[in-house]
Amino acid sequence: MTKLQKLYSTIQSLKELGLELGDDLLKQTSDLEQEIIKKEILPVVSEKIEPIISQIQRELVLVVDYVPNEPLSVRISRKRNFTDQMETIEIIPDPKVDHNIGTIKRNSTTKSAKTNLRVTLPNGKVIENRFAYETLQEVVMLAGVEKVRSLGIIQCGVPLISNTQDNFYNQKEIAKGMFLITHSSTGQKRQQIEKISDALDLNLKVEIV
């Protein structure tokens, strides 16, 4: 059972018990529905429709009218102005990056000493995890995944926060369908955090320890 199904089940149980549904619960349900539509349903719909609809050589609008337990209704309109009154979400996957993979020769067999990151917030709270990527991840979560993604930070040709999973570099999924690239040195991670801090006015103090 998914998180949304569990929420629906809870709402149904409350209704059966004759209990009043609070605004907070209804808002959480609406937000979760919106998140699933945006992150799971729309990308699949776009992927399935685009190869077929690209044969049409004029602009049009498809309106999918979905009512639970009723046949799906799809309407077509040549007009675009009515969409100004509708909530629209555009899903554009980040392009896959082609990486030149070859043999890497190292001049030295000695490894650099391991380093870590310490991030101090204006309120004095310290973020310092066992691994530098964990500290970067926590800072991104603190700042907001979508806000950090909008900054357009690139690492190894890949967006720092990407909605496409790379087939070569290490990434960590930090939100549904959002991946944080962790293939970088501690120094590069420090620079990334400083960029995030400066752009979003977080006033973070970042140290390599």
Side-chain angles (χ1 to χ4, degrees), residues 58-74:
R58 65 176 176 84
E59 292 186 353
L60 57 81
V61 176
L62 292 181
V63 179
V64 179
D65 189 5
Y66 170 71
V67 179
N69 303 318
E70 292 187 13
L72 195 67
S73 172
V74 180

Side-chain angles (χ1 to χ4, degrees), residues 11-21:
I11 291 173
Q12 184 60 37
S13 297
L14 291 173
K15 287 181 177 179
E16 291 174 356
L17 292 171
L19 299 178
E20 184 177 347
L21 301 179

Side-chain angles (χ1 to χ4, degrees), residues 47 75 80 88 108-109 111 116 126 146 156 165 176:
E47 180 182 353
R75 290 172 289 160
R80 295 176 56 87
T88 58
S108 174
T109 57
K111 293 184 178 181
N116 210 333
V126 174
E146 291 291 349
C156 297
Q165 193 162 16
K176 187 66 176 180

Side-chain angles (χ1 to χ4, degrees), residues 100-126:
N100 294 322
I101 305 172
T103 303
I104 300 176
K105 295 183 179 179
R106 301 186 184 277
N107 296 326
S108 174
T109 57
T110 59
K111 293 184 178 181
S112 301
K114 289 185 178 181
T115 55
N116 210 333
L117 288 174
R118 178 184 296 137
V119 178
T120 306
L121 279 61
N123 63 6
K125 178 182 176 181
V126 174

Side-chain angles (χ1 to χ4, degrees), residues 162-178:
S162 177
N163 61 9
T164 301
Q165 193 162 16
D166 192 72
N167 58 6
F168 182 67
Y169 290 120
N170 294 329
Q171 292 171 303
K172 298 292 181 181
E173 188 171 18
I174 58 174
K176 187 66 176 180
M178 291 292 178

Side-chain angles (χ1 to χ4, degrees), residues 4 11 16 49 52 86 97 106 108 134 190:
L4 185 57
I11 291 173
E16 291 174 356
I49 291 179
I52 300 173
M86 301 169 60
V97 178
R106 301 186 184 277
S108 174
E134 293 175 331
R190 175 185 182 178

